[in-house]
């Protein structure tokens, strides 16, 4: 049995940062970010990467069949007994329904959807100052988390860059996509009694404390 926790919310709400913080403290917890998976395919210039590149770079959702394909291929690699944080998946009703189906056919336990609530204004500010390691995905910030050697990753030495889809214009567009396609999933998980809300506007450590409290209850 694999336990699945969904980290959900608008782009830039801090779910990736929180997932990697939690993963670094618990060896049996895995972090699966569909955004990271897609970016690594693009970086490798694989056939799959070439198909998804144009969507990712302008902040549009990758078509469901492609995301479901990469998700199914990856999730089956996790060992039984582990817990997996899904970051950035599902993002559409079709993906959520497909995940529910995969849970019942593969005996995954969908433990809950943690929803990161945050205002759009803060999101745009955060995205504009966010920097990401192109090699390991570690997240930095020009204001609050600058690497020791500018701009090389503290963890792996990789280049730390501003993501092409983190500009003000593209983030505003991604927020519209989020309201239209992803926010309705809040109701979907609430009806299943699986919704747990988080105030993601707080400081990183306070957000982490809220998450750990919830995970212990699940
Ligand atoms: P993220 O790193 O989660 O912000 O995702 C970056 C980009 O990858 C998104 O703007 C989409 O283009 C694509 N992406 C990631 N996850 C999904 C998903 N579940 N469905 C569709 N597109 C996705």
């Amino acid at each position: 049995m694999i336990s699945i926790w969904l980290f959900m919310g608008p782009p830039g709400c801090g779910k990736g940062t929180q997932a990697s913080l939690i993963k670094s403290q618990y060896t049996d917890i895995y972090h699966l970010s569909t955004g990271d998976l897609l970016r690594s395919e693009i970086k490798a210039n694989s056939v799959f990467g070439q198909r998804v590149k144009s969507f990712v770079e302008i902040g549009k959702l990758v078509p469901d069949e492609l995301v479901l394909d990469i998700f199914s291929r990856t999730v089956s690699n996790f060992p039984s007994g582990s817990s997996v944080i899904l970051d950035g998946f599902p993002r559409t009703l079709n993906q959520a329904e497909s995940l529910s189906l995969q849970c019942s056919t593969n005996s995954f336990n969908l433990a809950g959807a943690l929803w990161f609530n945050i205002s759009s204004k803060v999101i745009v500010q955060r995205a504009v100052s966010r920097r990401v390691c192109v090699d390991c995905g570690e997240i930095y910030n020009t204001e609050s988390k600058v690497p020791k050697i500018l701009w090389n990753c503290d963890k792996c030495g990789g280049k730390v860059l501003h993501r092409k889809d983190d500009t003000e214009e593209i983030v505003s567009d991604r927020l519209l996509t989020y309201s239209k396609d992803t926010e309705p999933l809040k109701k979907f998980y609430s009806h299943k009694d699986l919704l747990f809300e988080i105030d993601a506007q707080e400081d990183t450590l306070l957000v982490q404390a809220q998450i750990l409290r919830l995970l212990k209850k699940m």
Side-chain angles (χ1 to χ4, degrees):
M1 171 75 80
I2 294 178
S3 251
I4 294 191
W5 299 329
L6 308 181
F7 278 20
M8 313 223 16
C13 64
K15 53 191 174 5
T17 302
Q18 291 295 340
S20 57
L21 272 174
I22 288 167
K23 182 195 136 187
S24 66
Q25 295 170 40
Y26 299 90
T27 48
D28 57 344
I29 296 183
Y30 295 83
H31 172 199
L32 198 169
S33 150
T34 41
D36 286 348
L37 287 177
L38 295 167
R39 279 185 290 276
S40 71
E41 293 282 340
I42 294 170
K43 193 169 166 230
N45 201 22
S46 66
V47 174
F48 187 90
Q50 289 167 16
R51 289 180 75 190
V52 299
K53 186 174 179 188
S54 59
F55 297 97
V56 175
E57 287 191 342
I58 58 164
K60 294 277 176 232
L61 289 187
V62 168
D64 285 343
E65 68 273 17
L66 296 177
V67 178
L68 287 167
D69 171 40
I70 198 167
F71 170 74
S72 315
R73 279 191 276 132
T74 315
V75 79
S76 54
N77 295 332
F78 293 110
S80 175
S82 57
S83 298
V84 181
I85 297 173
L86 292 187
D87 157 15
F89 180 89
R91 260 168 149 117
T92 63
L93 190 57
N94 185 23
Q95 291 178 17
E97 282 167 347
S98 171
L99 175 63
S100 298
L101 192 68
Q102 293 205 32
C103 285
S104 48
T105 51
N106 294 305
S107 66
F108 299 153
N109 169 40
L110 187 49
L114 274 61
W115 211 282
F116 288 54
N117 292 314
I118 186 166
S119 79
S120 300
K121 195 175 157 211
V122 175
I123 296 265
V124 175
Q125 280 164 356
R126 279 193 190 174
V128 169
S129 57
R130 175 161 71 170
R131 300 292 180 271
V132 182
C133 172
V134 290
D135 288 333
C136 73
E138 181 70 4
I139 298 167
Y140 295 89
N141 187 289
T142 53
E143 320 273 316
S144 55
K145 190 182 167 198
V146 175
K148 291 189 187 83
I149 301 170
L150 295 181
W151 283 89
N152 295 321
C153 179
D154 293 341
K155 280 199 172 161
C156 75
K159 277 204 177 108
V160 173
L161 300 176
H162 194 201
R163 269 171 49 176
K164 282 188 183 157
D165 57 348
D166 267 347
T167 61
E168 194 166 340
E169 195 190 352
I170 293 183
V171 171
S172 305
D173 213 37
R174 289 168 74 200
L175 283 170
L176 288 179
T177 305
Y178 163 78
S179 325
K180 184 168 84 53
D181 294 318
T182 311
E183 212 169 14
L185 298 185
K186 220 176 191 178
K187 267 203 186 132
F188 179 87
Y189 287 114
S190 168
H191 285 150
K192 290 177 181 285
D193 262 342
L194 287 172
L195 181 72
F196 301 89
E197 301 205 49
I198 292 199
D199 176 0
Q201 217 141 279
E202 301 225 47
D203 176 80
T204 308
L205 289 178
L206 293 176
V207 175
Q208 201 191 356
Q210 294 178 59
I211 296 171
L212 290 175
R213 266 200 303 276
L214 284 173
L215 295 186
K216 276 182 193 138
K217 277 199 226 152
M218 282 176 173

